[in-house]
Amino acid sequence: MEKSLREVVDMIKDGGIHAAGAVREINKKIPIQGERHVAKLKGRDVDIAYYRASAPGKPLFIGMHGGGFITGGSAIDDKMWDAFCKAWDVNIASVDYRMGPVNKWPAGLLDVYETTLYLIDHVEEFGFDVDNIMIGGESAGGNLAATACIYAKQQGKDLYKKQILIYPYLDFASDPFARGSGGAFTPPAFVAMHEIYINEENYAYSTASPVCA
């Protein structure tokens, strides 16, 4: 008998949550080309993988991993961040933002924004140009890059000079079944991701869905 949509969504959620725990453990233990740092924020610590440019005073790129707002980590994309650091000759800070379902929106967004402020406050340690900060990410990380820019403006801060969005997820507000499949994601997978990351009443906020800005 064909499973109901609710059963399918719940299966996807359960599988994702189970796998995400293992990835988070790997993220903390694998060796990386960058340096591991901890941003001491109010009430929490945020891990950072930091990649230094060839000389002090170069720009800073703040990067966020993908993973459907449930999996991934600051060190998982180590080879990509290291390659970007060398190719662009910029400092890169990969942020290990909080994810669902334990920490729903806006937890991850606040981690990205407040880690930026932390890095600026500790610029002598990290050695970048505070007037040339860029931000970007892939998939869920692209969403956080875009929403961090929007949120910073709402706070009256001009933090980010450029943003690079790699297949970003920018729309919680529209019906996944009206959009059809996207890459490896089917509409039930989008529904599962939505439910894991954010409460429905917040779907249309510009700091969750940049298409609504």
Side-chain angles (χ1 to χ4, degrees):
M1 188 173 75
E2 186 176 348
K3 292 184 183 296
S4 69
L5 174 60
R6 182 70 264 162
E7 288 177 310
V8 172
V9 170
D10 287 343
M11 286 177 60
I12 295 170
K13 288 170 66 175
D14 290 344
I17 292 167
H18 177 74
V23 174
R24 281 194 289 271
E25 287 302 311
I26 292 169
N27 178 67
K28 290 181 176 296
K29 296 175 181 178
I30 58 173
I32 62 172
Q33 299 298 311
E35 306 165 5
R36 291 186 181 271
H37 292 269
V38 178
K40 298 287 186 179
L41 306 183
K42 186 176 180 179
R44 66 199 188 278
D45 293 345
V46 173
D47 291 337
I48 303 168
Y50 196 79
Y51 303 80
R52 293 185 185 270
S54 62
K58 298 281 187 176
L60 171 65
F61 179 83
I62 298 174
M64 278 70 65
H65 62 83
F69 304 96
I70 186 175
T71 191
S74 55
I76 295 297
D77 292 330
D78 174 66
K79 288 187 177 181
M80 180 181 76
W81 297 130
D82 185 56
F84 283 176
C85 174
K86 290 179 169 64
W88 299 341
D89 196 19
V90 299
N91 302 283
I92 292 180
S94 173
V95 180
D96 197 26
Y97 57 88
R98 288 172 292 172
M99 295 176 281
V102 176
N103 296 291
K104 288 197 166 189
W105 178 93
L109 165 62
L110 294 176
D111 285 350
V112 172
Y113 173 74
E114 292 176 18
T115 297
T116 303
L117 300 181
Y118 174 90
L119 290 165
I120 292 171
D121 287 344
H122 294 80
V123 64
E124 290 187 6
E125 175 184 357
F126 292 100
F128 59 88
D129 179 1
V130 294
D131 295 318
N132 199 348
I133 299 176
M134 303 169 282
I135 192 167
E138 53 180 325
S139 192
N143 173 284
L144 290 168
T147 55
C149 290
I150 295 168
Y151 183 76
K153 281 209 163 190
Q154 291 176 351
Q155 307 310 304
K157 301 273 190 182
D158 182 22
L159 295 181
Y160 309 108
K161 303 306 179 187
K162 299 180 180 70
Q163 65 178 284
I164 299 174
L165 309 182
I166 306 169
Y167 52 91
Y169 192 75
L170 304 178
D171 182 11
F172 288 96
S174 64
D175 179 3
F177 287 90
R179 300 200 304 258
S181 296
F185 273 79
T186 61
F190 282 123
V191 172
M193 182 177 71
H194 288 197
E195 293 181 0
I196 284 169
Y197 177 64
I198 185 170
N199 294 328
E200 187 173 1
E201 63 267 24
N202 300 321
Y203 283 2
Y205 280 37
S206 62
T207 47
S209 295
V211 295
C212 297

